């Protein structure tokens, strides 16, 4: 999947960069990236200045938007008749989740964004003001300590993206409990596509299923179908790099692949069973190998060229797609 930023968001980001040189942006990006890789004590902020906000906008916002679109597209695919009217975005950052929801569900009416960092909120509000979508322009932005915040009201869709790794495990667990209580439709959690990110996703899934929730994606949940302890499930989305993005990352390639893990949990069980491709399809002479999560567990199937239409579908299939192999 290739995901591009909305035109109005690209223009707003370009307008914000006026007066900042490429060298300054690259320097701030390197410093912010180093802090992310080194990690910080739970509860600490990676954002220390307005330069950090500009660096985040240039090099991370496009990737977080792409991951949100890919994840929410999976939700829409397995629950096509559902239309959320309200959104709660916890750890909203600069609002990439709000933009993704507005893109996929134009009927959204109410958006609430919570974040701990005042500078991110101010910039997120400024960017959303440039949107054409009325709910995005009118989004409510609130500063809150998410480890302790009480979540008032109820929301059709609740989103937590790239947040839980910044919290202590107990605080993350308590936040998930509060988020689930505030959710009437679907709770969506996105984490980095690393073993640590995936294992946080696993714990969240198990907790919410214990509360009475159902996993809709990436795979309908069955407690007997667990990923081996030395493995993890993640996916990838490709995004084009703008000139600003390339300057920030000092990169030559005009695209980037964002790796992420996710789970979609809902109040209602899945409407149908399905299988999803968990790894890049392996193409061999006359055969394609697909690793799938299926109702019987994780399986690797081989599709032969002799199988005609199914082989043709397998050739077009991509990592993360639903693939009905037993038709």
């Amino acid at each position: 999947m290739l995901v591009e930023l909305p035109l109005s968001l690209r223009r707003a980001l370009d307008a914000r960069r006026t007066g900042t040189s490429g060298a300054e942006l690259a320097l701030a990006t390197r410093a912010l990236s180093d802090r992310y890789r080194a990690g910080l004590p739970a509860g600490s902020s990676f954002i220390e200045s307005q330069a950090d906000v500009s660096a985040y906008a240039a090099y991370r916002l496009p990737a977080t938007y792409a991951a949100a679109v890919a994840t929410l597209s999976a939700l829409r695919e397995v629950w096509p008749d559902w239309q959320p009217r309200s959104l709660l975005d916890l750890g909203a950052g600069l609002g990439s989740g709000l933009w993704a929801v507005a893109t996929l569900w134009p009927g959204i009416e109410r958006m609430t964004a919570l974040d701990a960092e005042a500078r991110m909120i101010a910039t997120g509000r400024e960017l959303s003001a440039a949107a054409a979508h009325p709910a995005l322009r009118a989004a409510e932005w609130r500063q809150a300590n998410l480890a302790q915040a009480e979540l008032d009201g109820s929301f059709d869709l609740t989103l937590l993206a790239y947040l839980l790794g910044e919290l202590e495990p107990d605080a993350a667990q308590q936040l998930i409990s509060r988020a689930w209580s505030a959710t009437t439709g679907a709770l969506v959690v996105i984490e980095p596509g690393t073993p640590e990110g995936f294992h946080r996703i696993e714990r969240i899934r198990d907790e919410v299923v214990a509360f009475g929730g159902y996993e809709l994606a990436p795979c309908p949940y069955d407690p007997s179908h667990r990923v081996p302890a030395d493995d993890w499930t993640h996916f990838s989305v490709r995004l084009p790099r703008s000139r600003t993005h390339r300057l920030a990352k000092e990169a030559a390639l005009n695209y980037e692949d964002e790796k992420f893990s996710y789970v979609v949990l809902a109040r209602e069980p899945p409407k149908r069973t399905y299988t999803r491709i968990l790894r890049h399809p392996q193409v061999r002479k006359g055969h394609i190998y697909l690793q799938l999560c299926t109702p019987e567990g994780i399986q690797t199937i081989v599709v032969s060229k002799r199988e005609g239409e199914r082989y043709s579908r397998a050739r077009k299939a991509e990592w993360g797609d639903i693939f009905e192999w037993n038709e």
Side-chain angles (χ1 to χ4, degrees), residues 71-72 74-75 78-79 82 155-160 164 176-177 179-180 183-190 200-222 262-270 274:
T71 299
L72 294 169
L75 166 55
V78 300
W79 201 359
W82 183 62
F155 301 85
D156 296 333
L157 174 61
T158 301
L159 174 65
L160 295 87
L164 297 181
I176 288 295
S177 177
W180 178 245
T183 302
T184 60
L187 171 67
V188 176
V189 184
I190 306 169
R200 285 194 291 270
I201 291 288
E202 273 196 316
R203 289 192 294 271
I204 291 161
R205 179 196 64 190
D206 292 347
E207 290 165 12
V208 174
V209 169
F211 295 151
Y214 300 89
E215 181 179 357
L216 296 192
C219 304
Y221 179 75
D222 184 324
Y262 75 92
V263 67
V264 176
L265 298 149
R267 296 281 178 183
E268 299 181 11
Y274 57 88

Side-chain angles (χ1 to χ4, degrees), residues 4 7 34 41 55 76 101 111 163 165 186 198 202 208 217 282 292:
E4 297 190 49
L7 179 59
D34 287 345
R76 192 172 65 168
V101 169
M111 294 180 159
L163 169 65
F198 170 69
E202 273 196 316
V208 174
Q282 300 297 307
L292 306 173

Side-chain angles (χ1 to χ4, degrees), residues 302-316:
V302 182
V303 183
S304 167
K305 193 172 184 178
R306 293 192 298 270
E307 296 180 69
E309 188 274 337
R310 189 164 76 147
Y311 181 79
S312 178
R313 285 193 293 112
R315 281 181 58 86
K316 298 175 185 176

Side-chain angles (χ1 to χ4, degrees), residues 54-172:
S54 297
Y56 185 94
Y59 99 99
R60 280 305 293 161
L61 188 151
T64 58
Y65 173 80
V69 167
T71 299
L72 294 169
S73 295
L75 166 55
R76 192 172 65 168
E77 185 177 20
V78 300
W79 201 359
D81 57 346
W82 183 62
Q83 169 62 64
R85 299 294 178 183
S86 55
L87 165 70
L88 174 62
D89 190 349
L90 298 172
L94 296 181
S96 57
L98 278 66
W99 285 85
V101 169
T103 297
L104 293 172
W105 288 287
I108 194 79
E109 297 170 358
R110 177 169 60 96
M111 294 180 159
T112 302
L114 272 63
D115 199 87
E117 174 52 57
R119 296 182 189 90
M120 297 287 275
I121 291 172
T123 302
R125 185 182 285 121
E126 176 188 329
L127 293 173
S128 64
H133 196 289
L136 187 48
R137 287 200 309 274
E140 179 187 2
W141 289 80
R142 299 206 312 258
Q143 186 175 9
N145 179 343
L146 294 172
Q148 303 171 352
E150 293 298 326
L151 306 180
D152 300 325
S154 59
F155 301 85
D156 296 333
L157 174 61
T158 301
L159 174 65
L160 295 87
Y162 299 94
L163 169 65
L164 297 181
E166 299 178 13
L167 302 176
E168 293 283 3
D170 286 349

